[in-house]
Amino acid sequence: MSAKIKVCHISEATSGGVLKHLDQLANYINKDRFEQSFILSPIKNPSLRDKKLFFGNELITIDMTRDISPINDLISLIRIIFFLKKNKFDIIHCHSSKAGVLGRIAGFLTGHKKNVYTPHAFSFNDFNSKIKNLMFSSIERMMSFFSSTIVCVSWGEYHQAIKFRITNSNKLVVIPNGINEVKSTAIMKKDEWLQSIGCNGLEKVIVFSGRFSLQKNPELFVRAINEMKGSGFVAIMLGNGPLFDRISEMIKTLQLEDKIRLLGEVSNVDDYLRISDVFVNVSLWESMPYAILEAMAVEVPVIATDISGTTDLVKDGVTGLLVDPQNHIALKDALELLIHDNEKREKYSQNAKKLIQEHYTIENMIGQLEMVYQEGS
């Protein structure tokens, strides 16, 4: 029996979509052929600090900050180098931009020849200043020389890499995010839940789910709801983050407490998806959002912003509707169209579920990634 291929994952990002991706790798990569270790930063996820295992795999916690901090970054780099010197791996797989820099440098300095990198959304995007985009793209371009493969989780991310000349196409591979069939852990009845929050039980339910941050653009959602007339709907916002208090105050100022319910972090997002009529993702930038994949998997029609990564999934007028990420009136119009058109909602949700089943399964994602790991190993 041949020796297992040893893979070390390194990530500063340990929340949201990146954490979900790491969970999937920890649980679904073939344990008979691969041995995985995880170097993760507990700063965003303090629950990791006291753990020695990450879903049954070796876990090492090393603080890494998202922002550029020369002293902290140097300390993080030294600690990663120290671990990699003591433990040789066949593959170093870095996730997100900060770990992408620290991990690839550490991998190079410790003689690890196969360094894989998944950006999970490049730091450069259409909503940064030109100076920021120049700086971030220059760093990515330089770091590509320390990469054997750059894994893009969407074709949108691939085209961004080509547009900004990050590396030649031979180093790029597209492995889209994938999901399992979403299973409900509890039965939530829509009419009963609506009545429990003071509604009559017949309203259409609009869901926003995501981190309350600049990237996720929650303010656009609130402004769109503010423009909607009538009382035949209720919007719910799931999640938390740095903009939570600001959004809460905005809802009060606009007197939208009856139209928008802030529910914070919930553990049963899929239950809320199953009672919803429309799912909204209004991000300014994405790689490939798991939130949209999960909504589509449970047949909820999606309205999303017309940005790279999202457009892999949402085909306007086919699997959902696309709107300008800075136009709350366009979002309002799309919402009013969908909540009043049962036929369109059914058409989009069925087309979207078929797309997920054919192209965005966990089996497809893991199988393609294992092939990358095995090349040359």
Side-chain angles (χ1 to χ4, degrees), residues 8-59:
C8 181
H9 299 276
I10 307 176
S11 182
E12 171 272 324
T14 50
S15 61
V18 178
L19 179 61
K20 186 178 291 288
H21 190 84
L22 294 171
D23 288 356
Q24 290 176 325
L25 302 187
N27 283 295
Y28 293 104
I29 290 286
N30 190 315
K31 288 179 169 52
D32 292 329
R33 287 186 285 160
F34 301 92
E35 181 182 328
Q36 299 185 97
S37 298
F38 290 79
I39 299 177
L40 304 179
S41 173
I43 291 177
K44 292 179 183 174
N45 192 342
S47 66
L48 294 171
R49 285 198 188 276
D50 299 324
K51 295 180 180 178
K52 300 297 181 186
L53 294 174
F54 185 68
F55 295 101
N57 302 279
E58 181 184 30
L59 171 64

Side-chain angles (χ1 to χ4, degrees), residues 161-257:
I162 296 297
K163 175 184 174 181
F164 282 87
R165 305 193 311 279
I166 300 307
T167 188
N168 60 63
S169 59
N170 293 335
K171 278 191 178 182
L172 297 170
V173 60
V174 178
I175 302 178
N177 287 337
I179 58 169
N180 275 326
E181 181 183 353
V182 180
K183 295 179 180 178
S184 180
T185 56
I187 298 173
M188 183 185 286
K189 293 184 178 179
K190 180 180 178 181
D191 57 346
E192 291 180 1
W193 180 81
L194 284 168
Q195 289 166 6
S196 75
I197 62 168
C199 298
N200 64 31
L202 301 175
E203 292 86 354
K204 294 292 191 293
V205 177
I206 302 167
V207 173
F208 169 100
S209 176
R211 191 164 184 263
F212 283 49
S213 64
L214 174 66
Q215 178 197 359
K216 300 301 182 181
N217 201 15
E219 193 171 308
L220 185 84
F221 180 76
V222 175
R223 293 197 181 282
I225 298 297
N226 185 50
E227 296 290 337
M228 293 178 69
K229 308 302 179 186
S231 58
F233 69 91
V234 63
I236 57 178
M237 298 185 75
L238 309 175
N240 209 329
L243 296 183
F244 186 87
D245 291 342
R246 177 175 166 182
I247 293 300
S248 179
E249 190 59 37
M250 185 179 178
I251 290 169
K252 290 175 186 174
T253 300
L254 295 172
Q255 299 181 330
L256 294 173
E257 291 95 334

